[in-house]
Amino acid sequence: MHKQYLLTPGPTPLPPQVQEALGRPIIHHRTAEYRALFKRVQQGLQTVVQTTQPVVVFTSSGTGAMEASVCNLLSPGETAVVILGGKFAERWKDLCAAYEVKVIPISVSYGEAVDPQQVREALKAHPEASAVFSTLCETSTGVVHDMQTIGSIVRETNAVLVVDAISGLLADECRTEAWGIDALVSGSQKGLMLPPGLAFLSLSPKAWKRAEAAKSPRYYFDMRAYKKALVDDDTPYTSSVSLVVALDAALQAILAEGVEAFLKRSALLANATRAGIQAMGLKLFAKRPSNGVTAVRAPEGVDTKKLVKQIQDRYQVTLAGGQGEMAGKVFRIAHMGYIGAFDLLVALASVELSLIELGASVTPGQGLKAFQGLIGAR
Ligand SMILES: *Cc1c(COP(=O)(O)O)cnc(C)c1O
């Protein structure tokens, strides 16, 4: 039996207080006890999402909240601008197609961030656009887009800004209300340190107006039902009680540290990971790198599918490979949620050792030294 290390950008490792909460006896969701807990969870989610608006909780993976934002904010035949540049951004395009929304794509090369001026131009050319869809952190490339500037552009128009922050929340700065994000989508299994199974969607007043009027078919994901139930700290359908109890435990841990401090720690770990990778002689894939995940280009002659498998098989360290077109070309190390500095030292060491085993010219210890140089107390 070997100790396992999980460093993927979802699911992420669980802190002990979350694991403990998951093992508690189940309680009934239509009780005063549960409603008090759900109310506290609601306040915690608002702090994390940085909004005064309700944060609706769905029992689904993150994609459920992505789907909810499409079917609640748009009607068939409407137009949306979609910022591309990775596998998750492409999901917005597919969801729009499923709901018969016309897509105006903004193409972005993998590894690059969108130039916010392209969003301004797309909205000028398509004043009929009702929404702009983007990712905050594009987990497949490790890029974080400049949502503050994009928000300042979209808020001057009739369009709503919809942001997939499933991996970005609690890793990259995301001032939902202050930046003018109209729909903030997230999920449980990344920065929030929970198992997969919960999705979150928070709407601005501008977006709620659209949700009242949209004509797309919707039932389980109809935001109006959740808003109505929230008045009594309740949910329209059975809550995923154990996951919400665990969410309460996770939020209490996050709030005890403070959202700012939590983000600062992610930034420090991300920075040190990037330094470690570069000190090994490897190159970062993202031009504007996220603090949630580091995507690394394969060194000459190394297939990252082989590298990730080698690291798993020999060292029981789970990293992520590349997705889609990036398969074999990049590997990814997450530094979000409960992943700490010493987990990352393990990850970097396993990368160094495995690269050497695969014949790459890496001097052992270089990456670790650079990482420690940034992490240690000064
Ligand atoms: C993980 C992730 C998703 C996927 O969500 P599911 O929980 O698998 O439905 C979507 N978008 C981004 C940016 C992600 O990182």
Side-chain angles (χ1 to χ4, degrees), residues 5-272:
Y5 296 87
L6 179 62
L7 289 108
T8 58
T12 61
L14 309 183
Q17 58 270 56
V18 167
Q19 292 204 319
E20 178 275 316
L22 287 166
R24 285 186 215 157
I26 199 115
I27 59 172
H28 199 274
H29 59 294
R30 308 289 186 213
T31 57
E33 182 188 2
Y34 188 76
R35 273 199 279 270
L37 181 137
F38 200 64
K39 185 176 183 172
R40 185 164 68 232
V41 161
Q42 188 54 218
Q43 289 162 347
L45 285 171
Q46 287 174 323
T47 305
V48 165
V49 170
Q50 305 196 38
T51 184
T52 55
Q53 296 299 315
V55 182
V56 161
V57 181
F58 299 116
T59 304
S60 75
S61 79
T63 306
M66 293 176 76
E67 176 151 357
S69 59
V70 174
C71 67
N72 281 279
L73 301 180
L74 291 151
S75 302
E78 281 192 297
T79 299
V81 171
V82 177
I83 298 169
L84 296 173
K87 182 177 175 268
F88 293 107
E90 281 151 22
R91 191 165 294 174
W92 280 133
K93 199 180 64 173
D94 297 342
L95 276 164
C96 285
Y99 283 92
E100 294 171 39
V101 170
K102 227 175 90 191
V103 170
I104 307 297
I106 297 181
S107 34
V108 177
S109 304
Y110 283 9
E112 310 254 353
V114 69
D115 173 358
Q117 295 317 314
Q118 284 183 274
V119 179
R120 190 192 297 282
E121 280 152 29
L123 287 172
K124 231 183 233 160
H126 296 278
E128 76 282 11
S130 311
V132 174
F133 287 93
S134 183
T135 49
L136 173 63
C137 165
E138 172 53 65
T139 321
S140 63
T141 63
V143 164
V144 62
H145 293 294
D146 179 0
M147 220 40 70
Q148 182 172 14
T149 305
I150 296 169
S152 71
I153 290 166
V154 179
R155 83 174 348 144
E156 302 301 322
T157 70
N158 288 328
V160 285
L161 175 59
V162 184
V163 177
D164 168 359
I166 294 176
S167 65
L169 190 71
L170 285 167
D172 294 303
E173 205 184 5
C174 185
R175 303 191 181 276
T176 300
E177 205 157 73
W179 290 356
I181 296 171
D182 294 297
L184 195 284
V185 172
S186 202
S188 53
Q189 78 273 29
K190 312 230 170 162
L192 275 166
M193 315 180 289
L194 295 167
L198 295 180
F200 309 99
L201 178 58
S202 181
L203 300 182
S204 70
K206 186 177 172 184
W208 273 114
K209 272 198 203 117
R210 298 201 125 264
E212 298 296 341
K215 292 196 173 58
S216 291
R218 44 188 161 153
Y219 187 83
Y220 178 76
F221 288 118
D222 191 333
M223 287 292 278
R224 295 168 295 188
Y226 290 83
K227 189 182 190 181
K228 204 168 140 212
L230 265 176
V231 173
D232 300 316
D233 305 312
D234 208 346
T235 52
Y237 316 110
T238 309
S239 234
S240 180
V241 172
S242 298
L243 284 176
V244 174
V245 167
L247 172 59
D248 184 39
L251 286 168
Q252 285 183 34
I254 292 161
L255 299 182
E257 182 174 358
V259 173
E260 288 298 321
F262 201 92
L263 288 171
K264 227 169 139 182
R265 192 160 47 78
S266 280
L268 178 68
L269 294 178
N271 207 23

Side-chain angles (χ1 to χ4, degrees), residues 294-373:
T294 293
V296 185
R297 278 181 198 279
E300 271 300 304
V302 172
D303 177 343
T304 59
K305 270 184 273 184
K306 272 200 194 130
L307 176 66
V308 168
K309 185 172 185 309
Q310 172 97 352
I311 293 170
Q312 176 70 62
D313 293 349
R314 284 188 75 99
Y315 302 110
Q316 293 75 48
V317 175
T318 311
L319 305 182
Q323 295 167 287
E325 282 171 41
M326 291 161 285
K329 297 184 187 135
V330 305
F331 67 94
R332 294 169 298 147
I333 306 173
H335 25 69
M336 56 178 73
Y338 192 55
I339 295 169
F342 290 88
D343 300 315
L344 288 160
L345 274 175
V346 168
L348 291 174
S350 73
V351 171
E352 285 187 345
L353 291 170
S354 299
L355 280 174
I356 292 164
E357 286 152 14
L358 291 174
S361 68
V362 169
T363 312
Q366 297 284 59
L368 301 181
K369 188 175 168 200
F371 183 93
Q372 290 175 79

